[in-house]
Amino acid sequence: MNKKDVNVGENPGNPKISTRNVNVFYGDKQAINNVSIDVDRENVTAFIGPSGCGKSTFLRSLNRMNDTVIGARVEGEILLDGQDIYASSMDVVQLRARVGMVFQKPNPFPKSIYDNVAYGPRIHGLASGKAELDQIVEGSLTRAGLWTEVKDRLNESGTALSGGQQQRLCIARAIAVDPEVILMDEPCSALDPIATARIEELIHDLRGKYAIIIVTHNMQQAARVSQRTAFFHLGNLIEFGETSEIFTNPREDRTKDYITGRYG
Ligand SMILES: Nc1ncnc2c1ncn2[C@@H]1O[C@H](COP(=O)(O)OP(=O)(O)OP(=O)(O)O)[C@@H](O)[C@H]1O
């Protein structure tokens, strides 16, 4: 490991998430090597790189989703507003409310649209009564750009919505517990181009309210939605910087080869 690899992602200032020398293993296999990165609170950060480079693994380590994978192990330091998320005092349920996640395939609960969004606030005791819960549900669906489409059918099943609507419902569900960070793992890969455009607009609208990190295979999407981009290759963070710079003037040959389609 050389010093340059350690420092490539550091961008001190007032990061929302700061990782230092993070390694992730599945059993004996190392999937992430020594990644140090500072994630802005005001911006959208894209993680890009070829299949299997560890983007999802690294993303999942940011809210301890890897805890649920047998054999997965995370080393190093991950700080959320300066707080060590792997400390024994960290309440993982609270952490996952603070750092919400939206998955590749929309995964609404087999419950009503209302109950999908109300689920988290109920568990976390965020509403003092029905009126307040109604407000949270309406506010979250509005913020997720879904309210006008579903306001007359809140009791219908979330699974009856279209794929794009289901994904916006999942975003509303994440928003409902008032997160600080939203992690999105290829949120549009199961969606058609119109539904994808809606999610991209939504990401644009949510920027600044939440720190957003999106894993995407789609470089045009990374260029459209993010302000900062991290390029991963074989478990290493190769380059991290302004999205416009990464796509027009990358410093590293491996980044250049990837964005020009030489491998991927
Ligand atoms: N649960 C697991 N058990 C063992 N190995 C895993 C597991 N999940 C991922 N891996 C391995 O870790 C490496 C990184 O995988 P990861 O899914 O994080 O990559 P990725 O960049 O997100 O890929 P993709 O873009 O194809 O989703 C790969 O070699 C993969 O095979």
Side-chain angles (χ1 to χ4, degrees), residues 24-32 52:
V24 186
F25 302 85
Y26 294 107
D28 293 338
K29 183 183 149 65
Q30 186 161 1
I32 286 291

Side-chain angles (χ1 to χ4, degrees), residues 16-19 37-41 43-48 55 58-63 78 80 99-102 180-187 203 210-216 225-230 232 240:
K16 184 70 195 173
I17 293 179
S18 187
T19 84
I37 193 168
D38 290 313
V39 176
D40 287 0
R41 57 189 67 236
N43 282 322
V44 178
T45 301
F47 290 173
I48 64 167
K55 308 177 291 291
F58 186 64
L59 189 79
R60 289 197 302 261
S61 69
L62 302 179
N63 72 346
I78 301 181
L80 175 66
V99 185
M101 190 148 191
V102 175
E180 298 161 40
V181 181
I182 304 179
L183 308 177
M184 298 185 173
D185 195 354
E186 301 198 36
I203 292 170
Y210 315 97
I212 296 175
I213 306 177
I214 178 172
V215 165
T216 178
V225 303
S226 76
Q227 290 72 48
R228 296 183 67 76
T229 294
F232 289 83
F240 180 51

Side-chain angles (χ1 to χ4, degrees), residues 16 41 49 66 88 111 123 136 178 188 200 215 227 254:
K16 184 70 195 173
R41 57 189 67 236
N66 289 327
S88 54
K111 292 172 179 288
I123 288 187
I136 293 175
D178 201 19
C188 302
E200 290 185 6
V215 165
Q227 290 72 48
R254 280 170 294 182

